[in-house]
Amino acid sequence: TGHSSSHSAVFHPETRKTTAEGVEGVEIYKVLFLSHESAYNTGAHNTCAELCSVEFACDDKGFNVNYHEKGKCEKVISYDSKVVVPTVGTPKKETLDSKAAFQGLYCSEICENAIHKDTLYLSSIHRCAIVVLAINLGTGKVKIITDAEKCHTIIGAGEGRLLVSTSSPGEIPSVLLYDVAKGEFSPVLAPKQDEATKTEVSVKIQQHYDNFDSILLTPTHSGALDTVLLMPHGGPHSAHTCGWVLYYEFLLQLGYTLLLVNYRGSIGFGNDSLLSLPGNVGTNDVSDCMQALDHTLSENENLKKVGVMGGSHGGFLTLHLLGQHSDRFDVGIARNPVTSIAGMVSATDIPEWCYCEALGVGARPRCFGPTAEDLDKMLRASPIYHAKNVKAPTLWLLGKEDKRVRPLAAMDYIACLKSKGLPLKTVMFPKDSHPLSSPQTEFESFINVAWWLKKHLYETG
């Protein structure tokens, strides 16, 4: 294909048979695929993808051939591909609303049979939502065909129809059928939601300076509390979206307001924004979280208490915020957090992450072992550098089998907090790894989180 990173290939359904004299039985195929050249070249995970196509021919024996109109066929080893949708650096504003501008492709697969009349349909992250895109394969023009403030994911396709799962905060997933010829959605499966357990919530997408967003989820039921929980996502190159998430629903039911921040470096906001974070972790992302928090508190005077919680890079930011802005937070919860990049680089399955995020794009294109200067930069970008300033009580949720961020790496940080006499609790899940996603672990995590928040926010004495 001519690309260093090519995957998720599907055949275009229209295969053409040649009719030229002397080349009976030769067929020409078109294949569509995704390429993450930007990720390969920069070392940053989950960067903006390209949609590409390549055509090739096979004779009646299945051998690849290069077909010429005059009837000559030659065996071919490789083919040149065509970029249908390129990487989007900075999105072009087609209207005054920047949310309407196409932000680029942030997806890892193409759904088979999702091509109809030379239009490909696929799901992609778009700012704070997962949307369905219609891509004209001839012109490369991209159109968003779903609501950009809900989540829509293609789960199946065929015969000119798409099966789409959709959800939003407080609205459990349902299934729609999209008729591509009519351009219409119709309901297929809408599970009944018990009114007693339905989450009453308002959803507000907040746009901030420097091209990043946050999602403010506010419980509207009678049990709403005066606490906002700042929740930075992991990755760091991932994103919060306006979909139904069990963890969020649980916290909203308890009455907590949730502030989900898609800081610069998140996917779905153009590749330039994403690549602005490597080399600036612990600085730009922390600044964006505080900007979103200050904006939220200024517009919601009823919110008096502030907590912060996150996992992986979200845990990294949780600890950074507790250390750099120790007077602003009443409580913290960290799930498998990165505490020291310098300590992580030699004990993780993704050492390239440490080089890229701490040192910057292109600083170390291949990992040859860190220099003393590298380790110093990694340490200064890490939460443990600010651990001496932490004042809030912290809950730690760790997976013993985590190979990405090993739990023993947290012990230096925990020892520092213990030496200060701060309240803390460590829960080690013996059979779980980085995601902490097994049913038993999720259940126990929920219970510990609810208890910790109540104890340190609302119990006295």
Side-chain angles (χ1 to χ4, degrees):
T1 64
H3 292 255
S4 302
S5 172
S6 305
H7 60 93
S8 191
V10 298
F11 280 98
H12 193 294
E14 297 179 5
T15 296
R16 307 194 303 274
K17 284 192 176 183
T18 67
T19 57
E21 184 179 354
V23 287
E24 293 295 332
V26 171
E27 295 181 337
I28 299 176
Y29 297 89
K30 178 185 283 188
V31 173
L32 300 169
F33 63 92
L34 296 172
S35 173
H36 278 87
E37 288 294 290
S38 176
Y40 179 84
N41 292 331
T42 64
H45 295 179
N46 300 330
T47 60
C48 188
E50 294 177 320
L51 176 66
C52 304
S53 68
V54 62
E55 288 191 353
F56 65 95
C58 289
D59 61 19
D60 55 3
K61 296 180 181 179
F63 293 111
N64 292 354
V65 296
N66 188 4
Y67 166 67
H68 299 285
E69 291 297 332
K70 294 184 179 180
K72 182 180 178 182
C73 292
E74 299 174 340
K75 190 173 180 180
V76 176
I77 304 300
S78 63
Y79 301 86
D80 293 328
S81 59
K82 171 188 174 184
V83 175
V84 180
V85 179
T87 297
V88 175
T90 299
K92 296 179 180 178
K93 295 183 180 180
E94 297 179 358
T95 67
L96 293 177
D97 182 5
S98 62
K99 292 188 293 184
F102 174 55
Q103 309 288 318
L105 297 177
Y106 298 90
C107 50
S108 58
E109 61 181 5
I110 302 173
C111 182
E112 194 172 0
N113 300 321
I115 302 171
H116 180 73
K117 291 186 177 180
D118 218 32
T119 297
L120 170 67
Y121 297 85
L122 55 73
S123 301
S124 176
I125 301 286
H126 175 86
R127 301 186 76 92
C128 293
I130 302 174
V131 299
V132 175
L133 305 174
I135 303 173
N136 186 305
L137 298 176
T139 64
K141 186 175 180 180
V142 181
K143 180 181 179 182
I144 300 171
I145 65 170
T146 53
D147 184 349
E149 295 190 356
K150 285 188 175 184
C151 285
H152 296 80
T153 303
I154 298 174
I155 57 176
E159 298 182 358
R161 294 176 176 83
L162 308 175
L163 206 57
V164 178
S165 171
T166 180
S167 72
S168 61
E171 179 185 310
I172 61 176
S174 59
V175 180
L176 304 174
L177 189 67
Y178 181 72
D179 188 314
V180 298
K182 297 179 180 179
E184 297 177 352
F185 283 98
S186 57
V188 174
L189 178 64
K192 290 185 178 180
Q193 197 164 358
D194 188 347
E195 290 297 323
T197 59
K198 184 177 181 179
T199 305
E200 299 175 36
V201 57
S202 71
V203 182
K204 181 181 180 182
I205 296 178
Q206 305 178 132
Q207 289 186 269
H208 303 285
Y209 178 72
D210 280 335
N211 188 37
F212 76 96
D213 294 351
S214 64
I215 306 171
L216 185 65
L217 305 181
T218 305
T220 56
H221 55 77
S222 59
L225 302 171
D226 61 350
T227 295
V228 58
L229 298 178
L230 171 57
M231 301 179 70
H233 60 72
H237 309 304
S238 62
H240 286 300
T241 58
C242 289
W244 189 93
V245 178
L246 181 59
Y247 225 127
Y248 305 162
E249 300 296 316
F250 172 72
L251 293 168
L252 289 166
Q253 287 277 8
L254 293 179
Y256 295 103
T257 295
L258 308 183
L259 177 59
L260 316 178
V261 183
N262 283 330
Y263 45 83
R264 283 170 293 168
S266 303
I267 63 176
F269 292 81
N271 214 39
D272 292 343
S273 175
L274 186 153
L275 293 176
S276 72
L277 184 58
N280 295 296
V281 292
T283 302
N284 288 4
D285 40 9
V286 171
S287 173
D288 290 352
C289 286
M290 292 306 299
Q291 184 186 149
L293 178 62
D294 289 340
H295 174 81
T296 299
L297 293 177
S298 68
E299 295 200 345
N300 298 272
E301 295 181 356
N302 59 304
L303 298 174
K304 306 297 184 183
K305 301 174 183 179
V306 181
V308 58
M309 65 181 294
S312 193
H313 190 84
F316 171 92
L317 288 176
T318 292
L319 299 178
H320 258 303
L321 290 161
L322 292 174
Q324 293 189 44
H325 301 275
S326 56
D327 293 328
R328 300 293 303 276
F329 296 93
D330 300 294
V331 66
I333 299 170
R335 303 170 65 251
N336 283 334
V338 176
T339 58
S340 170
I341 302 176
M344 176 182 169
V345 66
S346 60
T348 179
D349 63 337
I350 52 169
E352 77 285 350
W353 182 94
C354 301
Y355 290 100
C356 178
E357 300 303 337
L359 307 183
V361 169
R364 296 295 294 272
R366 294 292 182 269
C367 303
F368 295 110
T371 64
E373 183 181 2
D374 292 339
L375 291 172
D376 181 66
K377 289 181 179 178
M378 290 177 181
L379 179 63
R380 291 175 183 274
S382 300
I384 199 167
Y385 193 74
H386 305 279
K388 61 183 181 293
N389 302 322
V390 176
K391 298 177 181 179
T394 54
L395 171 65
W396 297 69
L397 304 174
L398 306 174
K400 188 177 181 181
E401 297 300 317
D402 191 351
K403 302 297 190 296
R404 183 144 297 175
V405 183
R406 296 180 185 270
L408 289 178
M411 296 308 160
D412 279 353
Y413 198 112
I414 291 172
C416 176
L417 299 184
K418 285 183 176 179
S419 71
K420 291 164 60 71
L422 294 175
L424 65 88
K425 180 181 180 180
T426 303
V427 182
M428 184 77 74
F429 297 101
K431 297 181 180 181
D432 226 314
S433 58
H434 194 59
L436 297 180
S437 58
S438 71
Q440 182 66 27
T441 295
E442 278 199 336
F443 170 75
E444 293 186 28
S445 296
F446 287 0
I447 297 302
N448 277 282
V449 166
W451 168 76
W452 192 256
L453 292 174
K454 182 178 179 182
K455 176 179 176 63
H456 293 285
L457 292 173
Y458 294 103
E459 290 184 359
T460 58

